[in-house]
Amino acid sequence: MAARIPEEKISELRQSVDIVDIINEYVQLKKQGRNYFGLCPFHSENTPSFSVAPEKQIYHCFGCGAGGNVFNFLMDAEGITFQEAAAIVADKGGIPLQIQNTDKRQDDGYPSEHQRMIDAHELLGKLYHHLLLNTKEGAGALQYLLSRGFSTEGIRKFKIGYSLPEWDLAVKYLTKRGFAEEELEKAGLIVKKENGDGFFDRFRNRVMFPLLDAKGRTIAFSARAVENDDSPKYLNTPETAIFNKSSLLYNYNGARSEIRRQGYAVLFEGFADVISADQANVKNGVAVMGTSLTNEHIRLLRRLTDTIILCFDSDQAGIEASNRAGSLLVEQGMEVKAAMLPKGTDPDDYIRKYGAEKFRADVIGNALAWTAFKLHYYRFGKNLQNEGEKLKYIEEVMNELSKLGNPIERELYTRQLAEEFSLSLEVLEDQQKKLVQAEGKKQQKQTGGFAQVPKKRQSVLPAHLTAERMLLARMLRDEEAAYRIMEMLGNQPFYYDEHQAIITYLLSYYAAGNDPDPLLFLDHLPDKKLRAVVTEIEMMAVDSEDSEQELKDCVNYVLNHAKLLMIKEKQSEQREAERSNNVQRALEIAQEIISLRNSLSI
């Protein structure tokens, strides 16, 4: 794929951007020493093993092995072609680039059937959007939205649309464009009639809210009735091969860069709150789609930030939802705060009543720390004038405080509790110590009585593997050394197949007249696994000026390893000959073993 763009242009594009800046739009990176680390966007993990080396302009995950240069990252993160990744880099680097148009869908990573579903949603979404903004049929729905506080700018940004009352608009519109009724039914856009004779539109006379995937493509709709007597009030696309509400966050694609910039995400209950908040200049908001927060949702959020502000409704259901979501986030190691609204209001209500500035300052800006929210949660619905409920509240709070790892935070809230209810601080602290000890024993029991020891990120590699990688590192940086090493190895291949494959590609790369450049060489590797090995080798602290003796030592390790394997095989043959009482053959093999041992390089 790289051949369509001149190598000089590829190098110019790569040098025009910093890989840290590009990846930082997808992964929350923190500097540790010379490199940056974060949670890998390509697999689920709780401990950062994804490393970016700014000096070498490469990335590598020590967990799943993903690795490469800036183009490889964009290709894997966005599911796009090399040319499309180059176009993104060119745009960010301010470099003019003219390349042939490529069909993104061919390399999207989606089966063709799934891509057809996306295409149908995209076309229908554009039609609905046009009907809302540019037709007299959509005027009533548009006026409804404007009366609800939606702005024209917000309607355009979130691609909101309107479906006509007709029963077969989508059926006719999409079948005329080559879509079969059966595939539209699978996409959830149309419904088969009960008598089996034909299909009708799923969505009619409704305001249409497109649901986008992480790459910004329409994969479903949430539709709100315009008429009060239409039931149900909200109608969503059923789950399909491309839409799963448990793994979709509304506005994730739109809020991603703002979440990265501000360092936290605001999690709402519904898309209407996200849109209202966006119009109030809170542009880092996302929402779950009518379901509880899931581990998949958290995985998406952790790609961008480790801090979440919950902004749910203030009724009992909203408070309960905040507690469930926040508890799950805390369990996953996230920092959680809770924005509190006046009783009986939701974010959309608050913004329309009190305005955008007050929402940003008094609600989002004054979000409670998680422990403070938990105290509010335990208080909710209790009559603290009642002795029984008061005692229950104090007991629940004390149990909650015993789980805190920070003793200063624990003491702060214990003092507040003592002052509020005129209790003896000494008595509460004594009770607190007992609860903390009990919590510690509980944790110890859960871990089998042993302290959990963090796993090492990397184990010590075998000497022959290290030797092969040291040689590859030198070959990647020095063409002359590459051919000299091959000569020193003679006909002996590397033990590891992926290393031997890299050598084959590397020699072909040099034969084409390319200069030593590990970053450029990565673009010539068609296999992800090979790119992962090269980036891991590049992450090694290898001195490019290794002495000739060190080079020979590595070659000897490779040569000796092959002979040692052969000796081991011969020893097995010798034991088999002895068991068969074949003395002559056993003596011949013994002589071969002696010869092999004598040939080992020292």
Side-chain angles (χ1 to χ4, degrees):
M1 287 191 292
R4 298 187 186 181
I5 305 174
E7 306 288 10
E8 300 80 15
K9 195 67 174 180
I10 293 174
S11 295
E12 181 186 5
L13 291 173
R14 192 189 306 113
Q15 293 168 16
S16 70
V17 297
D18 185 343
I19 192 171
V20 174
D21 294 336
I22 300 295
I23 293 180
N24 211 32
E25 295 181 10
Y26 299 81
V27 180
Q28 186 182 26
L29 296 174
K30 293 180 181 179
K31 191 170 185 181
Q32 295 180 21
R34 300 167 73 175
N35 294 343
Y36 290 79
F37 286 86
L39 295 170
C40 180
F42 304 120
H43 82 287
S44 299
E45 62 177 5
N46 294 324
T47 303
S49 62
F50 182 85
S51 177
V52 183
E55 293 179 6
K56 299 178 180 179
Q57 289 293 294
I58 58 174
Y59 69 93
H60 181 77
C61 176
F62 295 99
C64 69
N69 57 26
V70 65
F71 302 115
N72 305 135
F73 179 85
L74 289 170
M75 289 165 65
D76 291 342
E78 294 287 356
I80 58 180
T81 64
F82 180 88
Q83 288 84 355
E84 289 168 324
I88 292 174
V89 173
D91 180 61
K92 293 182 180 295
I95 304 295
L97 178 66
Q98 291 184 348
I99 54 177
Q100 293 180 340
N101 290 330
T102 58
D103 186 359
K104 178 177 179 179
R105 292 174 295 178
Q106 293 177 355
D107 292 286
D108 244 349
Y110 280 112
S112 58
E113 180 186 1
H114 295 182
Q115 186 60 55
R116 294 272 296 171
M117 291 183 180
I118 293 173
D119 292 343
H121 278 87
E122 291 277 359
L123 281 171
L124 200 54
K126 289 175 182 177
L127 174 64
Y128 289 152
H129 189 58
H130 170 76
L131 291 172
L132 177 68
L133 290 177
N134 303 305
T135 68
K136 63 180 182 180
E137 290 88 347
L142 179 60
Q143 185 56 44
Y144 164 78
L145 287 171
L146 295 176
S147 69
R148 292 280 302 171
F150 289 80
S151 67
T152 304
E153 179 186 354
I155 290 170
R156 293 186 188 280
K157 178 176 180 179
F158 290 92
K159 304 177 183 179
I160 302 171
Y162 171 65
S163 57
L164 298 181
E166 298 177 20
W167 284 80
D168 57 358
L169 173 70
V171 175
K172 291 179 179 177
Y173 182 74
L174 292 174
T175 52
K176 283 182 180 179
R177 283 156 180 77
F179 291 92
E181 291 176 331
E182 290 72 18
E183 64 181 336
L184 296 177
E185 182 187 21
K186 287 182 180 179
L189 295 172
I190 64 176
V191 181
K192 197 166 191 175
K193 293 180 180 178
E194 289 186 6
N195 61 9
D197 183 22
F199 294 83
F200 60 90
D201 294 0
R202 180 177 297 276
F203 304 109
R204 302 179 307 280
N205 194 28
R206 289 175 176 269
V207 175
M208 305 298 294
F209 296 88
L211 307 182
L212 312 184
D213 65 9
K215 297 173 184 177
R217 293 169 294 201
T218 305
I219 58 172
F221 292 100
S222 183
R224 190 193 190 285
V226 176
E227 304 293 339
N228 291 330
D229 55 352
D230 276 357
S231 182
K233 182 178 179 181
Y234 285 101
L235 179 64
N236 296 329
T237 299
E239 295 205 351
T240 66
I242 61 172
F243 171 56
N244 183 338
K245 63 184 180 181
S246 295
S247 59
L248 182 140
L249 286 170
Y250 184 76
N251 196 40
Y252 181 83
N253 179 264
R256 181 162 53 193
S257 59
E258 195 67 19
I259 292 171
R260 297 266 349 115
R261 189 182 72 80
Q262 296 200 40
Y264 68 94
V266 182
L267 183 63
F268 295 97
E269 282 189 270
F271 56 80
D273 294 331
V274 170
I275 297 171
S276 294
D278 184 86
Q279 293 177 171
N281 208 30
V282 177
K283 300 184 180 298
N284 54 337
V286 295
V288 293
M289 290 305 306
T291 183
S292 299
L293 190 73
T294 66
N295 287 327
E296 180 62 20
H297 291 143
I298 296 175
R299 188 183 68 82
L300 288 171
L301 290 168
R302 292 193 70 165
R303 288 184 181 182
L304 309 177
T305 182
D306 55 11
T307 303
I308 307 296
I309 293 180
L310 303 173
C311 190
F312 289 6
D313 295 355
S314 60
D315 57 11
Q316 184 169 354
I319 296 294
E320 291 288 354
S322 292
N323 182 59
R324 287 194 303 271
S327 297
L328 187 58
L329 288 162
V330 169
E331 286 176 10
Q332 295 291 329
M334 306 281 274
E335 181 183 345
V336 183
K337 296 181 180 180
M340 304 305 294
L341 292 161
K343 190 173 182 179
T345 61
D346 60 31
D348 182 40
D349 295 333
Y350 187 95
I351 291 168
R352 285 196 288 152
K353 185 173 182 179
Y354 299 105
E357 186 176 346
K358 197 168 179 63
F359 178 73
R360 292 194 304 271
D362 294 354
V363 178
I364 303 300
N366 278 331
L368 297 178
W370 182 242
T371 303
F373 167 79
K374 290 293 288 188
L375 269 60
H376 174 82
Y377 170 73
Y378 289 127
R379 183 186 296 266
F380 195 83
K382 286 188 176 69
N383 176 12
L384 296 185
Q385 301 304 314
N386 179 283
E387 288 298 320
E389 294 193 29
K390 182 193 297 184
L391 286 172
K392 184 179 180 182
Y393 170 73
I394 294 171
E395 181 182 355
E396 288 174 335
V397 170
M398 292 291 285
N399 284 326
E400 185 67 32
L401 297 183
S402 69
K403 300 174 185 177
L404 295 177
N406 187 336
I408 296 176
E409 185 181 10
R410 195 162 56 232
E411 182 181 351
L412 173 67
Y413 288 111
T414 303
R415 285 183 178 275
Q416 288 181 8
L417 196 65
E419 291 172 5
E420 180 179 1
F421 295 102
S422 302
L423 299 171
S424 165
L425 179 60
E426 291 74 15
V427 171
L428 287 182
E429 286 179 336
D430 183 59
Q431 178 66 12
Q432 192 64 252
K433 287 178 183 178
K434 294 177 182 177
L435 290 171
V436 170
Q437 289 173 355
E439 182 66 24
K441 289 179 180 178
K442 179 182 175 183
Q443 294 294 329
Q444 190 178 41
K445 185 176 181 180
Q446 290 174 348
T447 58
F450 295 96
Q452 291 182 314
V453 180
K455 295 180 180 178
K456 292 183 179 179
R457 180 172 291 159
Q458 288 177 287
S459 58
V460 178
L461 300 177
H464 64 280
L465 186 149
T466 301
E468 289 189 3
R469 294 199 169 188
M470 294 285 282
L471 291 174
L472 277 172
R474 183 68 177 272
M475 296 170 78
L476 287 165
R477 294 177 174 84
D478 188 334
E479 181 179 1
E480 182 184 346
Y483 288 108
R484 191 166 76 256
I485 289 168
M486 293 304 296
E487 185 178 345
M488 294 167 71
L489 287 170
N491 295 323
Q492 177 61 52
F494 277 4
Y495 175 74
Y496 294 94
D497 291 341
E498 62 266 28
H499 293 173
Q500 191 62 38
I502 290 168
I503 288 176
T504 302
Y505 282 111
L506 183 62
L507 295 180
S508 174
Y509 169 83
Y510 285 142
N514 295 301
D515 293 327
D517 184 344
L519 287 176
L520 187 60
F521 175 60
L522 283 170
D523 297 327
H524 289 257
L525 288 174
D527 188 87
K528 286 184 180 181
K529 292 181 179 178
L530 298 184
R531 287 203 301 268
V533 174
V534 171
T535 53
E536 188 170 358
I537 289 170
E538 280 295 293
M539 286 288 187
M540 294 167 52
V542 178
D543 187 353
S544 61
E545 299 298 328
D546 293 326
S547 69
E548 192 66 22
Q549 184 57 50
E550 289 172 319
L551 208 59
K552 289 179 180 178
D553 289 342
C554 288
V555 170
N556 286 339
Y557 264 116
V558 176
L559 294 173
N560 286 344
H561 181 67
K563 292 175 182 177
L564 288 170
L565 289 176
M566 195 176 298
I567 289 171
K568 190 174 181 180
E569 185 178 332
K570 291 292 182 183
Q571 287 172 334
S572 179
E573 290 180 18
Q574 184 184 30
R575 287 193 294 271
E576 182 62 32
E578 290 172 348
R579 279 195 293 267
S580 302
N581 292 320
N582 191 340
V583 179
Q584 182 61 35
R585 180 54 184 156
L587 289 172
E588 289 174 359
I589 296 173
Q591 192 58 45
E592 291 174 6
I593 292 172
I594 292 171
S595 178
L596 282 169
R597 283 175 174 163
N598 289 337
S599 70
L600 291 173
S601 304
I602 300 175

